[in-house]
Amino acid sequence: AAGKQVTCVLTDMDAPIGTHVGNALEIAESIEVMRGGGPADTRELTVVLGAEMLLLAGVERDPDAAAARIGRSLDDGSALAVFAKIVAAQGGDPRVCEAPAAVLPQPRRKVPIVAPRAGNVAAMVADEIGMAALVLGAGRGKQDDRIDPAVGLVLAVRPGDRVAAGDLIATAWCDDDDARLAACRARVLAAVHLVDHAVPPPPAS
């Protein structure tokens, strides 16, 4: 209605995209993608969305060429260089691109959340994982809640993975509030569904 071209991209949100959930954690993962690494699904989504932007802007006309151009910008460092300029222009510290852990806020504790039993990961409920991070302070439950940019979750499993009892499911980046940690752990374990039968890995999105 506003005279703009629009493309809709449907993504599979049956499980979280990527492995990092939380403010500073997601920035660190984004930087890793712009270094040519990062989780495969995060990179894939970045390439797909970036290619659509190039097509809509008329910079590229062929979808494959657009995707290849985005992929090259991630692999050759040019995307990260532009991101560093954006950070600096907004008063941030561009050194975050070279040493994220030295610049981004760090948590007081990193606590493992482990599998209570052996099994195969059948599902990871994405919104419940998000709520588990919110419980730690990564988001607001009500308007006046304070967000802690350092806290969140780093996921260690994906649907289709096999785990033994005691294997790492996720690491909680948290403060010293044991009640928050307990609530987060309960939500993560409820969100990660373990079954005894084999589970095929999900198809590429």
Side-chain angles (χ1 to χ4, degrees):
K4 301 294 183 181
Q5 289 184 306
V6 176
T7 300
C8 293
V9 177
L10 301 180
T11 60
D12 182 359
M13 287 303 298
D14 286 345
I17 295 172
T19 57
H20 289 43
V21 185
N23 295 273
L25 282 167
E26 292 177 32
I27 292 296
E29 183 174 85
S30 299
I31 289 171
E32 192 59 33
V33 171
M34 287 186 283
R35 286 175 165 173
D41 56 347
T42 307
R43 179 187 168 99
E44 179 186 13
L45 182 59
T46 301
V47 169
V48 168
L49 294 178
E52 289 297 334
M53 292 175 72
L54 293 181
L55 294 169
L56 289 172
V59 175
E60 292 284 355
R61 296 185 180 276
D62 177 72
D64 290 338
R69 184 167 179 165
I70 295 295
R72 286 194 302 272
S73 75
L74 299 177
D75 293 334
D76 66 13
S78 58
L80 188 61
V82 171
F83 179 70
K85 291 179 180 178
I86 293 171
V87 170
Q90 296 185 65
D93 187 345
R95 292 177 300 173
V96 70
C97 297
E98 302 304 322
V103 176
L104 293 171
Q106 298 297 305
R108 293 188 182 91
R109 294 191 291 171
K110 299 178 183 179
V111 180
I113 299 174
V114 300
R117 69 175 184 89
N120 298 291
V121 180
M124 297 176 69
V125 184
D127 57 347
E128 279 301 305
I129 295 290
M131 290 301 297
L134 183 148
V135 164
L136 292 177
R140 291 187 179 93
K142 55 185 186 298
Q143 186 174 359
D144 58 351
D145 284 349
R146 184 184 69 85
I147 291 177
D148 184 344
V151 303
L153 292 164
V154 178
L155 306 175
V157 297
R158 303 291 296 170
D161 288 350
R162 173 76 182 174
V163 296
D167 280 356
L168 184 67
I169 295 287
T171 300
W173 288 37
C174 55
D175 59 20
D176 295 324
D177 190 325
D178 288 333
R180 282 179 182 256
L181 175 61
C184 170
R185 178 185 285 113
R187 281 188 175 270
V188 169
L189 294 180
V192 178
H193 298 171
L194 297 178
V195 297
D196 294 324
H197 58 271
V199 177
S205 58

Coordinates of all heavy atoms in Angstrom, one line a residue, residues 72-173:
R72 N 30.0 -14.1 -0.2 CA 31.4 -13.6 -0.4 C 31.7 -12.5 0.6 O 32.8 -12.4 1.2 CB 31.6 -13.0 -1.8 CG 31.8 -14.1 -2.9 CD 32.3 -13.5 -4.2 NE 31.5 -12.4 -4.7 CZ 30.4 -12.6 -5.5 NH1 30.1 -13.8 -5.9 NH2 29.8 -11.6 -6.0
S73 N 30.7 -11.6 0.9 CA 30.9 -10.5 1.8 C 31.1 -11.0 3.2 O 31.8 -10.4 4.0 CB 29.7 -9.5 1.8 OG 28.5 -10.1 2.4
L74 N 30.5 -12.2 3.6 CA 30.7 -12.8 4.9 C 32.1 -13.4 5.0 O 32.8 -13.3 6.0 CB 29.7 -13.8 5.2 CG 28.2 -13.3 5.2 CD1 27.3 -14.5 5.4 CD2 28.0 -12.3 6.3
D75 N 32.5 -14.0 3.9 CA 33.8 -14.8 3.9 C 35.0 -13.9 3.7 O 36.1 -14.3 4.2 CB 33.8 -15.8 2.8 CG 32.7 -16.9 3.0 OD1 32.4 -17.2 4.2 OD2 32.2 -17.5 2.1
D76 N 34.9 -12.8 3.0 CA 36.1 -12.0 2.7 C 36.3 -10.8 3.7 O 37.2 -10.0 3.6 CB 36.1 -11.4 1.3 CG 34.9 -10.4 1.0 OD1 34.3 -9.9 2.0 OD2 34.7 -10.1 -0.2
G77 N 35.4 -10.7 4.7 CA 35.6 -9.7 5.7 C 34.9 -8.3 5.4 O 34.9 -7.4 6.3
S78 N 34.4 -8.2 4.2 CA 33.8 -6.9 3.9 C 32.6 -6.6 4.7 O 32.3 -5.4 5.0 CB 33.6 -6.8 2.4 OG 32.7 -7.8 1.9
A79 N 31.7 -7.6 5.0 CA 30.5 -7.3 5.8 C 30.9 -6.9 7.2 O 30.4 -5.9 7.7 CB 29.7 -8.6 5.8
L80 N 31.9 -7.5 7.7 CA 32.4 -7.2 9.1 C 33.0 -5.8 9.1 O 32.8 -5.0 10.1 CB 33.4 -8.2 9.6 CG 33.8 -8.1 11.1 CD1 32.6 -8.2 12.0 CD2 34.9 -9.1 11.4
A81 N 33.7 -5.4 8.0 CA 34.3 -4.0 8.0 C 33.2 -3.0 8.0 O 33.3 -1.9 8.6 CB 35.2 -3.9 6.7
V82 N 32.1 -3.2 7.2 CA 31.0 -2.3 7.2 C 30.3 -2.2 8.6 O 30.0 -1.1 9.0 CB 30.0 -2.6 6.1 CG1 28.7 -1.8 6.2 CG2 30.6 -2.4 4.7
F83 N 30.1 -3.4 9.2 CA 29.5 -3.4 10.5 C 30.4 -2.6 11.5 O 29.8 -1.8 12.3 CB 29.4 -4.8 11.0 CG 28.8 -5.0 12.4 CD1 27.5 -4.7 12.6 CD2 29.6 -5.4 13.4 CE1 26.9 -4.8 13.8 CE2 29.0 -5.5 14.7 CZ 27.7 -5.2 14.9
A84 N 31.7 -2.7 11.4 CA 32.6 -1.9 12.3 C 32.4 -0.4 12.1 O 32.3 0.3 13.1 CB 34.0 -2.3 12.1
K85 N 32.2 0.0 10.9 CA 31.9 1.4 10.6 C 30.6 1.9 11.2 O 30.4 3.0 11.8 CB 31.9 1.7 9.1 CG 33.3 1.6 8.5 CD 33.3 1.8 7.0 CE 34.6 1.7 6.4 NZ 34.6 1.9 4.9
I86 N 29.6 1.0 11.1 CA 28.2 1.3 11.7 C 28.3 1.4 13.2 O 27.8 2.4 13.8 CB 27.2 0.2 11.3 CG1 27.0 0.3 9.8 CG2 25.9 0.4 12.0 CD1 26.1 -0.9 9.3
V87 N 29.0 0.5 13.8 CA 29.2 0.6 15.3 C 29.9 1.9 15.7 O 29.4 2.6 16.6 CB 30.0 -0.7 15.8 CG1 30.4 -0.5 17.3 CG2 29.3 -1.9 15.6
A88 N 31.0 2.2 15.0 CA 31.7 3.5 15.3 C 30.8 4.7 15.1 O 30.9 5.6 15.9 CB 33.0 3.5 14.5
A89 N 30.0 4.7 14.1 CA 29.2 5.9 13.7 C 28.1 6.1 14.8 O 27.7 7.2 15.0 CB 28.5 5.7 12.4
Q90 N 27.8 5.0 15.5 CA 26.8 5.1 16.6 C 27.4 5.3 18.0 O 26.7 5.2 19.0 CB 25.8 3.9 16.5 CG 25.0 3.9 15.2 CD 24.0 2.7 15.3 OE1 23.1 2.7 16.0 NE2 24.2 1.8 14.4
G91 N 28.7 5.5 18.0 CA 29.4 5.7 19.3 C 29.8 4.5 20.0 O 30.2 4.5 21.2
G92 N 29.7 3.3 19.3 CA 30.1 2.1 19.9 C 31.6 1.8 19.7 O 32.3 2.6 19.1
D93 N 32.1 0.7 20.3 CA 33.5 0.4 20.2 C 33.7 -0.6 19.1 O 33.3 -1.8 19.2 CB 34.0 -0.2 21.5 CG 35.5 -0.5 21.6 OD1 36.1 -0.4 20.5 OD2 36.0 -0.7 22.7
P94 N 34.3 -0.2 17.9 CA 34.4 -1.1 16.8 C 35.4 -2.3 17.1 O 35.4 -3.3 16.3 CB 34.9 -0.2 15.7 CG 35.6 0.9 16.4 CD 34.8 1.1 17.6
R95 N 36.1 -2.2 18.2 CA 37.0 -3.3 18.5 C 36.2 -4.6 18.8 O 36.8 -5.7 18.8 CB 37.9 -3.0 19.7 CG 38.9 -1.9 19.4 CD 39.7 -1.5 20.6 NE 38.8 -1.0 21.7 CZ 39.2 -0.7 22.9 NH1 40.5 -0.9 23.3 NH2 38.4 -0.3 23.8
V96 N 34.9 -4.5 19.0 CA 34.1 -5.6 19.3 C 34.2 -6.6 18.1 O 34.0 -7.8 18.3 CB 32.6 -5.2 19.5 CG1 32.0 -4.7 18.2 CG2 31.8 -6.3 20.1
C97 N 34.5 -6.1 16.9 CA 34.5 -7.0 15.7 C 35.8 -7.9 15.8 O 35.7 -9.0 15.2 CB 34.6 -6.2 14.5 SG 33.1 -5.2 14.2
E98 N 36.8 -7.5 16.4 CA 38.0 -8.3 16.5 C 38.1 -9.1 17.8 O 38.6 -10.2 17.8 CB 39.2 -7.4 16.4 CG 39.3 -6.6 15.2 CD 39.2 -7.4 13.9 OE1 39.8 -8.5 13.9 OE2 38.6 -7.0 12.9
A99 N 37.5 -8.6 18.9 CA 37.6 -9.3 20.2 C 36.3 -9.1 20.9 O 36.2 -8.3 21.9 CB 38.8 -8.7 21.0
P100 N 35.2 -9.8 20.5 CA 33.9 -9.6 21.1 C 33.9 -9.8 22.6 O 33.3 -9.0 23.4 CB 33.0 -10.7 20.4 CG 33.7 -10.9 19.1 CD 35.2 -10.8 19.4
A101 N 34.6 -10.8 23.1 CA 34.6 -11.1 24.5 C 35.2 -10.0 25.4 O 34.9 -9.9 26.6 CB 35.3 -12.5 24.8
A102 N 36.2 -9.3 24.8 CA 36.9 -8.2 25.5 C 36.0 -7.0 25.6 O 36.3 -6.1 26.4 CB 38.2 -7.9 24.8
V103 N 35.0 -6.8 24.7 CA 34.3 -5.6 24.6 C 32.8 -5.8 25.1 O 32.3 -4.9 25.8 CB 34.2 -5.1 23.2 CG1 33.3 -3.8 23.0 CG2 35.6 -4.7 22.7
L104 N 32.2 -6.9 24.8 CA 30.8 -7.1 25.2 C 30.7 -7.5 26.7 O 31.6 -8.0 27.3 CB 30.2 -8.3 24.4 CG 30.1 -8.0 22.9 CD1 29.7 -9.3 22.2 CD2 29.0 -7.0 22.6
P105 N 29.6 -7.1 27.3 CA 29.4 -7.5 28.7 C 29.5 -9.0 28.9 O 29.1 -9.8 28.1 CB 28.0 -7.0 29.0 CG 27.6 -6.0 27.9 CD 28.4 -6.4 26.7
Q106 N 30.1 -9.3 30.1 CA 30.3 -10.7 30.4 C 29.5 -11.1 31.7 O 29.3 -10.2 32.6 CB 31.7 -11.1 30.6 CG 32.6 -10.9 29.4 CD 32.2 -11.8 28.3 OE1 32.2 -13.0 28.5 NE2 31.9 -11.2 27.1
P107 N 29.0 -12.3 31.8 CA 28.2 -12.6 33.0 C 29.0 -12.9 34.2 O 30.2 -13.2 34.1 CB 27.5 -13.9 32.5 CG 28.5 -14.6 31.6 CD 29.1 -13.4 30.9
R108 N 28.4 -13.0 35.4 CA 29.1 -13.3 36.6 C 29.4 -14.8 36.6 O 30.4 -15.3 37.1 CB 28.3 -13.0 37.8 CG 28.1 -11.5 38.0 CD 27.5 -11.2 39.4 NE 27.3 -9.7 39.6 CZ 26.2 -9.1 39.2 NH1 25.2 -9.7 38.7 NH2 26.1 -7.8 39.5
R109 N 28.5 -15.6 36.0 CA 28.6 -17.1 36.0 C 28.2 -17.7 34.7 O 27.4 -17.1 34.0 CB 27.7 -17.7 37.1 CG 28.1 -17.3 38.6 CD 27.3 -18.2 39.5 NE 25.9 -17.9 39.5 CZ 24.9 -18.6 40.1 NH1 25.3 -19.8 40.8 NH2 23.7 -18.3 40.1
K110 N 28.8 -18.8 34.4 CA 28.4 -19.7 33.3 C 28.1 -21.1 33.9 O 29.0 -21.8 34.3 CB 29.5 -19.7 32.2 CG 29.8 -18.4 31.6 CD 30.9 -18.5 30.6 CE 31.3 -17.1 30.0 NZ 32.4 -17.2 29.0
V111 N 26.8 -21.4 33.9 CA 26.4 -22.6 34.6 C 25.9 -23.7 33.6 O 25.0 -23.3 32.8 CB 25.3 -22.3 35.6 CG1 24.9 -23.6 36.3 CG2 25.9 -21.3 36.6
P112 N 26.4 -24.9 33.6 CA 25.9 -25.9 32.6 C 24.5 -26.4 33.0 O 24.2 -26.5 34.2 CB 26.9 -27.0 32.7 CG 27.5 -26.9 34.1 CD 27.5 -25.4 34.4
I113 N 23.7 -26.6 32.0 CA 22.4 -27.3 32.2 C 22.5 -28.6 31.4 O 22.8 -28.6 30.2 CB 21.2 -26.5 31.6 CG1 21.2 -25.1 32.3 CG2 19.9 -27.2 31.7 CD1 20.1 -24.1 31.8
V114 N 22.3 -29.7 32.2 CA 22.6 -31.0 31.6 C 21.4 -31.9 31.4 O 20.4 -31.7 32.1 CB 23.7 -31.8 32.4 CG1 25.0 -31.0 32.5 CG2 23.1 -32.1 33.8
A115 N 21.5 -32.9 30.5 CA 20.4 -33.8 30.3 C 20.1 -34.6 31.5 O 21.0 -35.2 32.1 CB 20.7 -34.7 29.1
P116 N 18.8 -34.7 31.9 CA 18.5 -35.5 33.1 C 18.5 -37.0 32.8 O 18.6 -37.8 33.7 CB 17.0 -35.1 33.4 CG 16.5 -34.6 32.1 CD 17.6 -34.0 31.3
R117 N 18.5 -37.4 31.5 CA 18.5 -38.8 31.1 C 19.0 -38.9 29.7 O 19.2 -37.9 29.0 CB 17.1 -39.4 31.2 CG 16.1 -38.9 30.2 CD 14.8 -39.7 30.3 NE 13.8 -39.3 29.3 CZ 13.7 -39.9 28.1 NH1 14.6 -40.9 27.7 NH2 12.8 -39.5 27.2
A118 N 19.3 -40.2 29.3 CA 19.7 -40.4 27.9 C 18.5 -40.3 27.0 O 17.3 -40.5 27.4 CB 20.3 -41.8 27.8
G119 N 18.7 -39.9 25.8 CA 17.6 -39.8 24.8 C 18.0 -39.1 23.6 O 19.1 -38.7 23.4
N120 N 17.0 -39.0 22.7 CA 17.2 -38.3 21.4 C 16.4 -37.0 21.5 O 15.2 -37.0 21.9 CB 16.8 -39.1 20.2 CG 17.6 -40.4 20.1 OD1 18.8 -40.4 19.8 ND2 17.0 -41.5 20.4
V121 N 17.0 -35.9 21.0 CA 16.3 -34.6 21.1 C 15.3 -34.6 19.9 O 15.6 -34.5 18.8 CB 17.3 -33.4 20.9 CG1 16.5 -32.1 21.0 CG2 18.3 -33.5 22.0
A122 N 14.0 -34.7 20.3 CA 12.9 -34.7 19.3 C 12.5 -33.3 19.0 O 12.0 -33.0 17.9 CB 11.7 -35.5 19.9
A123 N 12.6 -32.3 19.9 CA 12.1 -31.0 19.7 C 12.7 -30.0 20.7 O 13.2 -30.5 21.8 CB 10.6 -30.9 19.8
M124 N 12.9 -28.8 20.3 CA 13.3 -27.7 21.2 C 12.3 -26.5 21.0 O 12.3 -25.9 19.9 CB 14.7 -27.3 20.9 CG 15.8 -28.4 21.1 SD 17.4 -27.9 20.6 CE 17.8 -26.6 21.9
V125 N 11.5 -26.3 21.9 CA 10.4 -25.3 21.8 C 11.0 -23.9 21.8 O 11.5 -23.4 22.9 CB 9.3 -25.5 22.8 CG1 8.2 -24.5 22.6 CG2 8.8 -26.9 22.9
A126 N 11.0 -23.2 20.7 CA 11.8 -22.0 20.5 C 11.3 -20.9 21.5 O 12.1 -20.2 22.1 CB 11.7 -21.5 19.1
D127 N 10.0 -20.7 21.6 CA 9.5 -19.6 22.5 C 9.8 -19.9 23.9 O 10.1 -19.0 24.7 CB 8.1 -19.3 22.2 CG 7.1 -20.5 22.4 OD1 7.6 -21.6 22.5 OD2 5.9 -20.3 22.5
E128 N 9.8 -21.2 24.3 CA 10.2 -21.5 25.7 C 11.7 -21.3 26.0 O 12.0 -20.9 27.1 CB 9.8 -23.0 26.0 CG 8.3 -23.2 26.3 CD 7.9 -22.3 27.5 OE1 8.5 -22.5 28.6 OE2 6.9 -21.5 27.4
I129 N 12.5 -21.6 25.0 CA 13.9 -21.2 25.2 C 14.1 -19.7 25.3 O 14.9 -19.3 26.2 CB 14.7 -21.7 23.9 CG1 14.7 -23.3 23.8 CG2 16.2 -21.2 24.0 CD1 15.4 -24.0 24.9
G130 N 13.3 -19.0 24.6 CA 13.4 -17.5 24.7 C 12.9 -17.1 26.1 O 13.5 -16.2 26.7
M131 N 11.9 -17.7 26.6 CA 11.4 -17.4 27.9 C 12.4 -17.7 29.0 O 12.5 -17.1 30.0 CB 10.0 -18.0 28.2 CG 8.9 -17.5 27.4 SD 8.6 -15.7 27.7 CE 8.1 -15.7 29.4
A132 N 13.1 -18.8 28.8 CA 14.2 -19.2 29.8 C 15.3 -18.2 29.8 O 15.8 -17.8 30.9 CB 14.8 -20.6 29.4
A133 N 15.6 -17.6 28.7 CA 16.6 -16.5 28.7 C 16.0 -15.2 29.3 O 16.7 -14.5 30.1 CB 17.0 -16.2 27.3
L134 N 14.7 -15.0 29.1 CA 14.1 -13.8 29.7 C 14.1 -13.9 31.2 O 14.3 -12.9 31.9 CB 12.6 -13.7 29.2 CG 11.8 -12.5 29.7 CD1 10.8 -12.1 28.6 CD2 11.0 -12.8 31.0
V135 N 13.9 -15.1 31.7 CA 13.9 -15.3 33.2 C 15.3 -14.9 33.8 O 15.3 -14.4 34.9 CB 13.6 -16.8 33.5 CG1 14.0 -17.2 34.9 CG2 12.2 -17.1 33.3
L136 N 16.3 -15.1 33.0 CA 17.7 -14.7 33.5 C 17.9 -13.2 33.5 O 18.8 -12.7 34.1 CB 18.7 -15.4 32.6 CG 18.9 -16.9 32.7 CD1 19.9 -17.4 31.8 CD2 19.2 -17.3 34.2
G137 N 17.0 -12.5 32.8 CA 17.1 -11.0 32.6 C 17.5 -10.6 31.3 O 17.8 -9.4 31.1
A138 N 17.4 -11.5 30.3 CA 17.7 -11.1 28.9 C 16.6 -10.3 28.2 O 16.8 -9.8 27.1 CB 18.1 -12.3 28.1
G139 N 15.4 -10.3 28.8 CA 14.3 -9.6 28.3 C 13.4 -9.1 29.4 O 13.8 -9.3 30.6
R140 N 12.4 -8.4 29.1 CA 11.5 -7.8 30.1 C 10.2 -8.7 30.2 O 9.5 -8.9 29.2 CB 11.1 -6.4 29.7 CG 12.2 -5.4 29.8 CD 11.7 -4.0 29.6 NE 12.7 -3.0 29.7 CZ 13.4 -2.5 28.6 NH1 13.1 -3.0 27.4 NH2 14.4 -1.6 28.8
G141 N 9.9 -9.0 31.4 CA 8.6 -9.7 31.7 C 7.5 -8.6 31.9 O 6.3 -8.8 31.6
K142 N 7.9 -7.4 32.4 CA 7.0 -6.3 32.5 C 7.8 -5.0 32.1 O 9.0 -5.1 32.1 CB 6.4 -6.2 33.9 CG 7.4 -6.2 35.0 CD 6.6 -6.2 36.4 CE 7.5 -6.0 37.6 NZ 8.5 -7.1 37.7
Q143 N 7.1 -3.9 31.9 CA 7.7 -2.8 31.3 C 8.9 -2.2 32.0 O 9.9 -1.8 31.4 CB 6.7 -1.7 31.1 CG 7.2 -0.4 30.3 CD 6.0 0.6 30.1 OE1 4.9 0.3 30.4 NE2 6.4 1.7 29.4
D144 N 8.9 -2.2 33.4 CA 10.0 -1.6 34.1 C 11.1 -2.6 34.5 O 12.0 -2.2 35.3 CB 9.4 -0.9 35.4 CG 8.6 -1.9 36.3 OD1 8.4 -3.0 35.9 OD2 8.3 -1.5 37.4
D145 N 11.1 -3.8 34.0 CA 12.2 -4.7 34.3 C 13.4 -4.2 33.6 O 13.4 -3.6 32.5 CB 11.8 -6.1 33.7 CG 10.8 -6.9 34.5 OD1 10.6 -6.4 35.7 OD2 10.3 -7.9 34.1
R146 N 14.6 -4.5 34.3 CA 15.9 -4.1 33.8 C 16.4 -5.3 32.9 O 16.4 -6.4 33.4 CB 16.8 -3.8 34.9 CG 18.2 -3.3 34.4 CD 19.1 -3.0 35.6 NE 19.5 -4.3 36.2 CZ 20.5 -5.1 35.8 NH1 21.3 -4.7 34.8 NH2 20.9 -6.2 36.5
I147 N 16.9 -4.9 31.7 CA 17.5 -6.0 30.9 C 19.0 -6.0 31.2 O 19.7 -5.0 31.3 CB 17.3 -5.6 29.4 CG1 15.9 -5.8 29.0 CG2 18.2 -6.5 28.5 CD1 15.5 -5.4 27.6
D148 N 19.5 -7.2 31.4 CA 21.0 -7.5 31.6 C 21.5 -7.9 30.3 O 21.3 -9.1 29.9 CB 21.2 -8.5 32.7 CG 22.7 -8.7 33.0 OD1 23.5 -8.3 32.2 OD2 22.9 -9.3 34.1
P149 N 22.3 -7.1 29.6 CA 22.8 -7.5 28.3 C 23.8 -8.7 28.3 O 24.1 -9.3 27.3 CB 23.5 -6.3 27.7 CG 23.9 -5.5 29.0 CD 22.8 -5.8 30.0
A150 N 24.3 -9.1 29.5 CA 25.3 -10.1 29.6 C 24.7 -11.5 29.6 O 25.4 -12.5 29.4 CB 26.2 -9.9 30.8
V151 N 23.5 -11.6 30.0 CA 22.9 -13.0 30.4 C 22.3 -13.6 29.1 O 21.9 -12.9 28.2 CB 21.9 -12.9 31.5 CG1 22.6 -12.3 32.8 CG2 20.7 -12.1 31.2
G152 N 22.0 -14.9 29.2 CA 21.4 -15.6 28.2 C 21.7 -17.1 28.2 O 22.2 -17.6 29.2
L153 N 21.6 -17.7 27.0 CA 21.8 -19.2 26.9 C 22.7 -19.4 25.7 O 22.5 -18.8 24.6 CB 20.5 -19.9 26.7 CG 19.6 -19.9 28.0 CD1 18.2 -20.4 27.5 CD2 20.1 -20.9 29.0
V154 N 23.6 -20.4 25.8 CA 24.3 -20.9 24.7 C 23.9 -22.4 24.5 O 24.1 -23.2 25.4 CB 25.8 -20.8 24.8 CG1 26.5 -21.5 23.6 CG2 26.2 -19.4 25.0
L155 N 23.2 -22.7 23.4 CA 22.6 -24.1 23.3 C 23.7 -25.0 22.7 O 24.5 -24.7 21.9 CB 21.5 -24.0 22.3 CG 20.4 -23.0 22.7 CD1 19.3 -22.9 21.6 CD2 19.7 -23.4 24.0
A156 N 23.7 -26.3 23.2 CA 24.7 -27.3 22.9 C 24.1 -28.4 22.0 O 24.9 -29.2 21.6 CB 25.3 -27.8 24.1
V157 N 22.8 -28.5 21.9 CA 22.2 -29.5 21.1 C 21.2 -29.0 20.1 O 20.7 -27.8 20.2 CB 21.4 -30.5 22.1 CG1 22.4 -31.2 23.0 CG2 20.3 -29.8 22.9
R158 N 20.8 -29.8 19.1 CA 19.9 -29.5 18.1 C 18.9 -30.7 18.0 O 19.3 -31.8 18.4 CB 20.5 -29.2 16.8 CG 21.6 -28.2 16.8 CD 21.0 -26.8 16.9 NE 20.1 -26.4 15.8 CZ 19.3 -25.4 15.9 NH1 19.2 -24.6 16.9 NH2 18.5 -25.1 14.8
P159 N 17.7 -30.5 17.5 CA 16.8 -31.7 17.2 C 17.6 -32.7 16.4 O 18.3 -32.4 15.4 CB 15.7 -31.0 16.5 CG 15.6 -29.6 17.0 CD 17.1 -29.2 17.1
G160 N 17.4 -34.0 16.8 CA 18.1 -35.1 16.1 C 19.3 -35.5 16.8 O 19.8 -36.6 16.5
D161 N 19.8 -34.7 17.7 CA 21.0 -35.1 18.5 C 20.7 -36.2 19.5 O 19.6 -36.3 20.1 CB 21.7 -33.9 19.2 CG 22.3 -32.9 18.3 OD1 22.5 -33.3 17.1 OD2 22.7 -31.8 18.8
R162 N 21.7 -37.1 19.8 CA 21.6 -38.1 20.8 C 22.4 -37.6 22.0 O 23.5 -37.0 21.9 CB 22.2 -39.4 20.4 CG 22.3 -40.5 21.4 CD 21.0 -41.1 21.8 NE 21.2 -42.1 22.8 CZ 20.1 -42.7 23.4 NH1 18.9 -42.5 23.0 NH2 20.3 -43.6 24.3
V163 N 21.8 -37.7 23.2 CA 22.5 -37.2 24.4 C 22.5 -38.4 25.5 O 21.6 -39.2 25.5 CB 21.9 -36.0 25.1 CG1 22.0 -34.8 24.1 CG2 20.4 -36.2 25.5
A164 N 23.5 -38.4 26.3 CA 23.5 -39.3 27.4 C 23.2 -38.5 28.7 O 23.2 -37.3 28.7 CB 24.9 -39.9 27.6
A165 N 22.8 -39.2 29.7 CA 22.5 -38.5 31.0 C 23.7 -37.7 31.4 O 24.8 -38.3 31.5 CB 22.1 -39.5 32.1
G166 N 23.5 -36.5 31.7 CA 24.6 -35.6 32.2 C 25.3 -34.9 31.1 O 26.2 -34.0 31.3
D167 N 24.9 -35.1 29.8 CA 25.5 -34.4 28.7 C 25.0 -32.9 28.7 O 23.9 -32.6 29.1 CB 25.1 -35.0 27.3 CG 26.0 -36.2 27.0 OD1 27.0 -36.5 27.7 OD2 25.7 -36.8 25.9
L168 N 25.8 -32.0 28.2 CA 25.5 -30.6 28.2 C 24.3 -30.4 27.2 O 24.4 -30.8 26.0 CB 26.7 -29.8 27.8 CG 26.5 -28.3 27.8 CD1 26.3 -27.8 29.2 CD2 27.7 -27.6 27.2
I169 N 23.3 -29.7 27.7 CA 22.1 -29.2 26.9 C 22.3 -27.8 26.5 O 22.1 -27.4 25.4 CB 20.8 -29.4 27.6 CG1 20.5 -30.9 27.9 CG2 19.7 -28.7 26.9 CD1 20.1 -31.7 26.6
A170 N 22.7 -27.0 27.5 CA 22.9 -25.5 27.3 C 23.7 -25.0 28.4 O 23.9 -25.6 29.5 CB 21.6 -24.8 27.2
T171 N 24.3 -23.8 28.2 CA 25.0 -23.1 29.3 C 24.3 -21.8 29.6 O 24.0 -21.1 28.6 CB 26.5 -22.8 28.9 OG1 27.2 -24.1 28.6 CG2 27.2 -22.1 30.0
A172 N 24.0 -21.6 30.8 CA 23.3 -20.4 31.2 C 24.3 -19.4 31.6 O 25.2 -19.6 32.5 CB 22.4 -20.7 32.4
W173 N 24.3 -18.3 30.9 CA 25.1 -17.1 31.3 C 24.3 -16.3 32.2 O 23.3 -15.7 31.8 CB 25.5 -16.3 30.0 CG 26.6 -17.0 29.2 CD1 26.7 -18.4 28.9 CD2 27.6 -16.4 28.4 NE1 27.7 -18.6 28.1 CE2 28.3 -17.4 27.8 CE3 28.0 -15.1 28.3 CZ2 29.4 -17.2 27.0 CZ3 29.1 -14.8 27.5 CH2 29.8 -15.9 26.8

